[in-house]
Amino acid sequence: MTTTDSTPSPNFIRNIVAEDVRVNKNEGRVHTRFPPEPNGYLHIGHAKSICLNFGLAAEFKGLCNLRFDDTNPTKEEVEYVEAILSDLRWLGFDWGDRLFYTSDYFEQLCEYAVRLIKDGKAYVCSLSAEETREYRGTLTKPGKDSPYRTRSVEENLDLFQGMRSGEFEDGSHVLRAKIDMASPNLNMRDPTIYRIRKVAHHRTDDKWCIYPMYDFSHCLSDSIERITHSICTLEFEDNRPLYDWVLDELNLDCHPQQIEFARLNLSYTVLSKRKLLGLVEEGLVNGWEDPRMPTISGIRRRGYTPESIRNFCDRIGVAKRDSVVDMALLEHCVREDLNKRTPRVMGVLRPLRVVIDNYPEDQVEELEAINSPEDPGMGTRKVPFSRVLYVERDDFREDPPKKFFRLGPGREVRLRYAYYVTCVSVVKDEQTGEVIELHCTYDPETRGGWSEDGRKVRGTLHWVSASHSLEAEVRLYDRLFEKANPGGEKGRADFKTSLNPNSLETLTSCRIEPSLAGAAPGSRYQFERLGYFCVDSVDVSDERLVFNRTVTLRDSWAKIEKQQK
RNA sequence: UGGGGUGUCGUCAAGUGGCAAGACACAGGAUUUUGGUUCCUGCAUUCGGAGGUUCGAAUCCUCCCACCCCAGCCA
């Protein structure tokens, strides 16, 4: 559990709910719901809504339902409902026995529609989609009444029954609410509430060929479930009068309050199902679970913890203004969590061979290493040391710049938990001039990395024993987009043009310390000095270790180096 | 140029007539066998702008400006 779980920060929705409870509105009940449409995978933006809805219910000892808003069979699939269910469980939320589907209510919804027709509040309109658009008017010009608006109740009842029983083709008729074609709010210009779709539904199959629209079904589903606070995003503000209209006209005793908040935007990525689906369909990423995706399943595979995501959602707040949260905050949250919980381990991403000239050929020492400086309770392990090692290529410079504390010709550094070593010579490839091997000497008096004489070394390097280390593949992930706001830029440029071509770098010859043999899929480690990594949960096998880099460690040397340029 | 919303630090965000919280980021410094972690310090005399009310305004009033959403038989 994270420390912030119990201290929610104030926000306007919480204030509304707290006040409602205080004055005993809804008999003091708090009942929210999370209502995804199963037309894609959940992303971090949904996590904000999930944490808000479930969090409010928990805080005020209420309930939160899970409801699949499955009213459009052309876009929805069981694959998505299953993915959503497993993402929600992984995030750590529990809806008890309150898993619902709007499709559960199709019969009841249909009865409500009939009631509206009988009350003269709805009519069957036989305009084509295009004609409907023309009749609707524009932002500045009022619409015109449909010629079908004055059909009799009997005729409407008959036609709607015909729609339901499959007598008509898709698009030939719709059921519309009779409100006001001159309303300045376009949503109130006789909105469509039922349309014909002769398409199999993932749950009701071909039982229905008419499906209710969002504006009709959502408020009614909320009311049926006796929801008290119906929380949605800002773009539904204009739909609120319609939400209220339906419930008022039907005179329902349970009339939930719709409250809107700003959806999450995150820098360097996009959070829209449509755009994410585009990336998946065009093969620009490897599916919804690609570790670069801001989807819950992508983030999970990347190595994030549910706790870090929930903590992030608590920290970003809830408000009505459009905003873009810095990706650095998400990264901070996962580092904070992983720092406390992961064991440290040594792995060399880009190996450079090092021979310790004065170390006996056949000798191997088992050196003790601490598993976590954050938690001594995690104990220690043995790491083998021998004459031939690998260190990180980045840790050697033939011509070290200022403030470079690592290895260079003639320099002495500490090998973590091992010895002080001094670089005595450099072997280069005759053709390319590339450094391919270092020769060092070690000081036997510094075993464990301490020196009796108190002399100091500036740098401590991670390393592995060449013959004992394991080969591994490591995937380094970076931001998916180069632009901070790829979705929200002005102008016409396609968001995909700012995709980061270097968002994935695969390293195949990495060397990992032997304690990682058989590491479980999904298990997380800190590779010292490099970052947090997890064993990939998809591409694993007995003979192959694959790691995903969740996030780098903060790197103040990188900043210094950048400043020097 | 219809309607609905929103403007508080680089980025989020509290604040609802009485001294502008906090977090991230950033910049310094201390500790450190991870250039990690941790710790300390600094970082909005001013709240989109201009007027007004008031002893007192980010909060109330007036006007203006900017940005976001709405013309699916999507949600």
Side-chain angles (χ1 to χ4, degrees), chain A residues 217-490:
Chain A
S217 63
H218 202 93
C219 52
L220 289 169
S221 301
D222 282 345
S223 179
I224 290 166
E225 293 177 17
R226 306 197 73 74
I227 298 302
T228 56
H229 302 269
S230 179
I231 300 167
C232 62
T233 45
L234 244 33
E235 67 272 25
F236 292 101
E237 279 181 312
D238 289 343
N239 298 57
R240 183 167 9 109
L242 182 48
Y243 184 105
D244 291 333
W245 184 91
V246 171
L247 297 180
D248 286 344
E249 294 303 324
L250 256 8
N251 197 27
L252 297 176
D253 65 321
C254 177
H255 189 139
Q257 178 184 5
Q258 174 176 310
I259 306 170
E260 311 84 8
F261 71 98
R263 60 167 64 242
L264 172 67
N265 293 296
L266 239 200
S267 60
Y268 301 103
T269 191
V270 292
L271 293 181
S272 113
K273 276 194 211 165
R274 186 181 61 79
K275 286 174 180 163
L276 295 174
L277 178 63
L279 296 174
V280 171
E281 285 180 337
E282 291 181 44
L284 297 168
V285 294
N286 305 314
W288 290 96
E289 299 185 60
D290 188 306
R292 292 168 294 180
M293 289 282 271
T295 51
I296 300 302
S297 51
I299 291 171
R300 170 173 60 217
R301 188 175 169 192
R302 174 90 167 241
Y304 276 70
T305 58
E307 290 83 354
S308 66
I309 294 170
R310 283 190 255 125
N311 185 225
F312 171 75
C313 290
D314 285 344
R315 290 165 76 142
I316 55 177
V318 177
K320 295 196 74 160
R321 48 180 166 266
D322 292 309
S323 61
V324 181
V325 174
D326 194 338
M327 180 69 90
L329 180 59
L330 216 209
E331 294 179 342
H332 167 81
C333 290
V334 74
R335 284 191 189 107
E336 182 180 64
D337 191 25
L338 261 17
N339 175 50
K340 283 180 291 190
R341 67 202 299 170
T342 57
R344 315 287 124 126
V345 109
M346 290 196 285
V348 176
L349 264 27
R350 297 174 179 84
L352 174 59
R353 196 177 140 92
V354 174
V355 179
I356 312 294
D357 291 336
N358 59 340
Y359 195 85
E361 197 94 37
D362 301 322
Q363 186 170 319
V364 177
E365 286 178 271
E366 295 285 329
L367 300 167
E368 188 165 58
I370 291 165
N371 288 332
S372 173
E374 298 297 313
D375 179 8
M378 291 175 78
T380 62
R381 68 187 185 286
K382 300 288 191 188
V383 186
F385 183 88
S386 64
R387 182 179 154 91
V388 183
L389 312 169
Y390 288 118
V391 299
E392 207 67 59
R393 288 202 99 83
D394 287 351
D395 285 337
F396 173 80
R397 289 289 184 83
E398 211 177 352
D399 189 15
K402 270 190 77 160
K403 292 188 179 169
F404 184 84
F405 304 148
R406 309 174 186 182
L407 218 41
R411 290 190 169 213
E412 182 174 55
V413 298
R414 172 191 294 117
L415 294 181
R416 180 142 229 226
Y417 302 123
Y419 291 100
Y420 287 7
V421 297
T422 303
C423 177
V424 292
S425 65
V426 177
V427 180
K428 296 183 185 177
D429 182 291
E430 284 177 17
Q431 251 78 57
T432 64
E434 183 196 6
V435 175
I436 53 175
E437 184 176 287
L438 262 28
H439 283 263
C440 294
T441 56
Y442 85 114
D443 178 353
E445 301 301 307
T446 59
R447 192 176 198 270
W450 292 103
S451 145
E452 286 289 332
D453 62 13
R455 78 179 185 276
K456 293 269 192 288
V457 290
R458 296 299 293 272
T460 300
L461 272 42
H462 61 281
W463 53 274
V464 294
S465 165
S467 60
H468 298 85
S469 63
L470 276 19
E471 187 173 88
E473 174 177 323
V474 176
R475 297 163 182 174
L476 306 179
Y477 298 103
D478 197 1
R479 49 182 61 146
L480 231 198
F481 290 87
E482 287 176 316
K483 283 188 188 160
N485 192 1
E489 302 274 299
K490 298 232 56 149

Side-chain angles (χ1 to χ4, degrees), chain A residues 88-291:
Chain A
L88 243 13
R89 275 191 284 259
W90 178 78
L91 274 175
F93 293 98
D94 179 18
W95 48 91
D97 58 356
R98 297 175 313 284
L99 166 59
F100 303 113
Y101 295 81
T102 302
S103 54
D104 292 339
Y105 312 135
F106 280 172
E107 188 61 53
Q108 192 169 355
L109 260 15
C110 210
E111 286 165 20
Y112 282 131
V114 167
R115 243 173 80 186
L116 240 29
I117 294 171
K118 285 181 177 166
D119 289 348
K121 301 289 188 182
Y123 62 98
V124 172
C125 179
S126 309
L127 252 23
S128 68
E130 195 180 329
E131 288 166 328
T132 303
R133 190 179 337 120
E134 286 161 10
Y135 274 75
R136 186 157 30 233
T138 68
L139 294 179
T140 50
K141 283 204 295 276
K144 297 182 297 190
D145 284 2
S146 161
Y148 305 101
R149 200 175 201 261
T150 52
R151 285 217 255 235
S152 69
V153 168
E154 292 67 33
E155 191 183 359
N156 283 323
L157 250 16
D158 187 52
L159 253 15
F160 187 57
Q161 177 55 41
M163 284 169 63
R164 177 175 175 168
S165 58
E167 287 172 32
F168 308 118
E169 293 311 304
D170 285 16
S172 56
H173 306 284
V174 293
L175 185 68
R176 289 229 251 169
K178 191 185 286 186
I179 309 181
D180 177 10
M181 288 306 292
S183 171
N185 181 347
L186 293 267
N187 292 299
M188 299 298 271
R189 318 243 262 227
D190 288 10
T192 298
I193 58 176
Y194 263 95
R195 77 292 215 185
I196 304 172
R197 279 270 191 289
K198 294 188 172 170
V199 172
H201 182 281
H202 62 99
R203 289 191 80 239
T204 60
D205 196 28
D206 58 359
K207 182 178 178 203
W208 293 87
C209 65
I210 56 170
Y211 292 93
M213 297 287 288
Y214 167 86
D215 284 309
F216 185 69
S217 63
H218 202 93
C219 52
L220 289 169
S221 301
D222 282 345
S223 179
I224 290 166
E225 293 177 17
R226 306 197 73 74
I227 298 302
T228 56
H229 302 269
S230 179
I231 300 167
C232 62
T233 45
L234 244 33
E235 67 272 25
F236 292 101
E237 279 181 312
D238 289 343
N239 298 57
R240 183 167 9 109
L242 182 48
Y243 184 105
D244 291 333
W245 184 91
V246 171
L247 297 180
D248 286 344
E249 294 303 324
L250 256 8
N251 197 27
L252 297 176
D253 65 321
C254 177
H255 189 139
Q257 178 184 5
Q258 174 176 310
I259 306 170
E260 311 84 8
F261 71 98
R263 60 167 64 242
L264 172 67
N265 293 296
L266 239 200
S267 60
Y268 301 103
T269 191
V270 292
L271 293 181
S272 113
K273 276 194 211 165
R274 186 181 61 79
K275 286 174 180 163
L276 295 174
L277 178 63
L279 296 174
V280 171
E281 285 180 337
E282 291 181 44
L284 297 168
V285 294
N286 305 314
W288 290 96
E289 299 185 60
D290 188 306

